[in-house]
Amino acid sequence: MRDLLVVENLQQVFGGRTRTYAVDGVSFRIPEEPAIVSLVGESGSGKSTIARIILGLLQPTAGRVLYEGTDIFTRDRKWNRKFRGEVQAVFQDPYSVYNPVYKAERVLKLVIRKFGLAKSKAEAQALMEEALRAVDLRPEEVLGRHPHQLSGGQRQRLMLARVYLMRPRLIIADEPVSMIDAGMRASFLNILLDFQERHGISTLFITHDLSTAMYLGGQIIVLYQGRIMERGQTRGVMKDPQHPYAQLLISSIPTPDPRKRWEEDLSAGPLAEVGPGISSGRDRCLFAERCPAVMDRCWGARPLLQAANSNAMSEADRDVACYLYQ
Amino acid sequence: MPALLEIRGLSAGLQGRRSITQVVSSVDLDVQRGEILGVVGESGCGKSTLATAIMRLLVPPQVLQSGSMTLRLKDGNTYELLELPETDLRQLRWRHLSYIPQGSMNSLNPVLRIERQMTDTLIQHGLSREEALKRSIAALEMVNLEPRLLDSYPHELSGGMRQRVIIAAAVSMRPALIVADELTTALDVVTQRQLLQELAGIRDELGATILIITHDMGVVAQIADRVAVMYAGKIAELGTVNDIFESPLHPYSQGLIGAIPRAGGHRVEGLPGEAPSPWNYPAGCRFHTRCPHVIDRCRAQTPALLPQGDGRWAACHLYEPEVLSNA
């Protein structure tokens, strides 16, 4: 089976004397058939750095990103143009991506012009209206307005309309719903699901909010300090996480149900947060100092991401980087 | 027992050149002693303005328009917050009323050690240096931070630790009421859980009352005792957390709860439309433009926040006796 996108042993190291490993040996793939893959982790886990590398905005220290088998950093202009059309970004802040002096629809018009999507003005207009309807925006509430006259939710959906015009194969969405209102989030996520089901568009969904990843389904990759701790089908991982970090993370989701409150009081537990700079030495499990199940082995060498070997779990498609399962 | 804080008809707005644009409109709310009350709503619904108004910290162009707020402390002292002169308010704040504004973990002074920043306020409130230090250490312990952190500068701490320092500072005078605005918004879920559990612990330990303002329905479901749902500057519904989540009355609360993305593979629909901004709050019920159950009266008449039994309140014409009897 060919893959749409392959991320191979990606590493990104920042800084000189004190080196910061933002991404440390991350590999995953997004399949050919339309899929949603969520990349979750807390701030500083490297998820946005991975997004920037995949978009070609940042050259990794080591590792490769292959799009349809071609390394995205060794490409010619023609290939580059195709890649830029087929892989589209949606960023976190629906305010700063617009130029406030132009009308909001300029983001659509530019795409139509640059990629020659329409032959006439009327055709361009029809395309814009179709794209707006595809993201549940009424053309009359958007066209002719300036960005500040639109709400955050509208602006973010307008970015999806722009993406829709391009009919990309892959959307890299970096925290796209964290700045839009609770009432609007579900609609935005539904559009991504529609894109996948009706238009064959895959999404790499980057978030710190596990409940949105849970809603989208598909696959999930759990990052911690630049490394993958666990990977699998979202539903399976959420129901039965294997890695102690994934277990901690998932049990800490504030479930919007007052009858399902957190059971254990973590406030004084051994899982207390480690301050930056304390964790030194990377040839070990990076979660060791917070892990309730830590063993001597965990300090000795880095656990590799492997298929989970656990009697408790019958799921085939699951990888865990933890000695408990190796 | 009378409420710790009794808010009546509180209105606040933005002073324009010619007129005031009302942001918070005649809010009535009793904050009960020892409870954690969650105030939820979409951005722009006035929840932060309400919090700042309670603290009497509105700054121009924000203006207080009308209403009253009565604070009844355990020691028997009663304060009319809206009538107090600024000098008295300064004594009240921090000692009895504590405020953790949105994004405050980024408001620590980067060139001063934590110790100085925590003790300064206490000394300002009349404590000696030793006493202030002792209180600061005790407060840090409440949020599971070690006393050695007092020697740190803010940049040496993670976001979660800085937010804990802020909470510690806010509770160091053992206040009766803590108002926390979007306390955990920028933090990851594990830190969020720890902080919220610490906050609940502080409530139990100090017998404090906590008003928590958030847009995150998950957060209120986890730690609030009661919930006030705000929409367009007014309280739409008020009730226990179980009532609000299990059988919301107001169509807006129903929409808000229904719009939460949940696991399970079935889709939920978002709330249609956008929340109005204070410049164009609709007449009548402010939710009528988005309400699926709108009736004629909603467009003309503003519904009052009325008791619905069992300590529940809703501001919706659908639950008024004469509408119910016609149905």
Side-chain angles (χ1 to χ4, degrees), chain B residues 102-121:
Chain B
Q102 194 165 355
S104 49
M105 65 186 212
N106 299 319
S107 66
L108 289 166
N109 187 333
V111 299
L112 294 182
R113 293 183 199 274
I114 300 300
E115 176 180 339
R116 176 82 192 278
Q117 306 195 44
M118 287 188 74
T119 53
D120 265 4
T121 8

Side-chain angles (χ1 to χ4, degrees), chain A residues 46-76:
Chain A
K47 52 196 195 302
S48 289
T49 306
I50 294 172
R52 288 169 54 83
I53 294 171
I54 294 173
L55 288 167
L57 301 173
L58 192 66
Q59 180 102 39
T61 313
R64 297 193 301 171
V65 179
L66 305 176
Y67 179 75
E68 293 182 323
T70 309
D71 190 327
I72 64 163
F73 285 99
T74 54
R75 58 199 185 187
D76 60 35

Side-chain angles (χ1 to χ4, degrees), chain A residues 6-315:
Chain A
V6 178
V7 171
E8 255 179 28
N9 220 355
L10 214 56
Q11 194 179 56
Q12 183 71 53
V13 185
F14 293 118
R17 207 155 46 89
T18 52
R19 312 206 321 153
T20 305
Y21 289 77
V23 180
D24 188 12
V26 164
S27 305
F28 63 91
R29 40 194 72 217
I30 295 174
E32 185 85 347
E33 61 271 21
I36 292 185
V37 179
S38 295
L39 203 54
V40 303
E42 47 200 88
S43 50
S45 62
K47 52 196 195 302
S48 289
T49 306
I50 294 172
R52 288 169 54 83
I53 294 171
I54 294 173
L55 288 167
L57 301 173
L58 192 66
Q59 180 102 39
T61 313
R64 297 193 301 171
V65 179
L66 305 176
Y67 179 75
E68 293 182 323
T70 309
D71 190 327
I72 64 163
F73 285 99
T74 54
R75 58 199 185 187
D76 60 35
R77 274 187 72 171
K78 203 172 147 219
W79 192 91
N80 196 356
R81 193 177 166 78
K82 170 179 126 75
F83 176 74
R84 289 245 175 276
E86 290 182 5
V87 179
Q88 289 288 316
V90 177
F91 292 109
Q92 176 174 14
D93 188 351
Y95 300 83
S96 64
V97 291
Y98 292 93
N99 185 332
V101 303
Y102 291 108
K103 286 177 184 159
E105 69 236 41
R106 185 166 185 262
V107 297
L108 303 182
K109 284 189 168 154
L110 273 178
V111 169
I112 294 174
R113 202 170 71 215
K114 292 279 181 199
F115 286 85
L117 301 179
K119 288 184 201 76
S120 66
K121 266 203 166 150
E123 206 179 312
Q125 185 72 18
L127 267 179
M128 284 201 297
E129 289 182 10
E130 186 204 333
L132 291 174
R133 286 199 193 92
V135 298
D136 296 328
L137 284 172
R138 278 176 295 139
E140 64 273 19
E141 66 186 358
V142 175
L143 297 179
R145 300 245 192 149
H146 281 89
H148 72 269
Q149 294 170 302
L150 304 176
S151 72
Q154 286 174 322
R155 271 181 275 211
Q156 203 62 313
R157 273 180 289 159
L158 187 56
M159 289 317 289
L160 281 185
R162 188 190 140 280
V163 163
Y164 176 84
L165 276 178
M166 299 293 303
R167 302 294 152 84
R169 300 198 54 196
L170 177 63
I171 298 173
I172 312 288
D174 191 358
E175 299 275 13
V177 295
S178 66
M179 288 179 74
I180 59 182
D181 262 317
M184 240 35 262
R185 275 186 195 182
S187 337
F188 186 92
L189 300 174
N190 286 344
I191 297 167
L192 291 179
L193 290 169
D194 283 343
F195 278 7
Q196 181 202 4
E197 286 162 17
R198 296 195 201 143
H199 306 292
I201 303 172
S202 295
T203 298
L204 179 65
F205 187 80
I206 294 164
T207 185
H208 73 282
D209 178 4
L210 285 112
S211 56
T212 51
M214 191 148 71
Y215 181 69
L216 286 173
Q219 261 194 61
I220 196 166
I221 296 168
V222 180
L223 285 171
Y224 182 71
Q225 295 195 15
R227 293 180 184 171
I228 296 177
M229 297 287 126
E230 185 157 350
R231 194 207 58 77
Q233 296 300 312
T234 306
R235 230 147 261 150
V237 173
M238 289 287 177
K239 225 178 113 207
D240 186 20
Q242 301 292 301
H243 195 288
Y245 174 64
Q247 290 170 351
L248 172 66
L249 197 64
I250 287 159
S251 70
S252 297
I253 299 174
T255 311
D257 182 348
R259 304 235 184 239
K260 288 186 193 151
R261 291 199 168 179
W262 294 310
E263 282 165 13
E264 193 186 345
D265 189 352
L266 281 191
S267 54
L271 302 159
E273 195 186 5
V274 180
I278 293 178
S279 52
S280 57
R282 298 187 65 87
D283 200 16
R284 61 187 182 87
C285 174
L286 296 179
F287 188 61
E289 56 263 71
R290 293 171 75 188
C291 185
V294 65
M295 308 175 284
D296 286 348
R297 249 180 118 183
C298 307
W299 300 99
R302 170 181 182 169
L304 297 175
L305 189 67
Q306 291 178 357
N309 171 20
S310 158
N311 297 331
M313 209 186 48
S314 53
E315 202 180 305

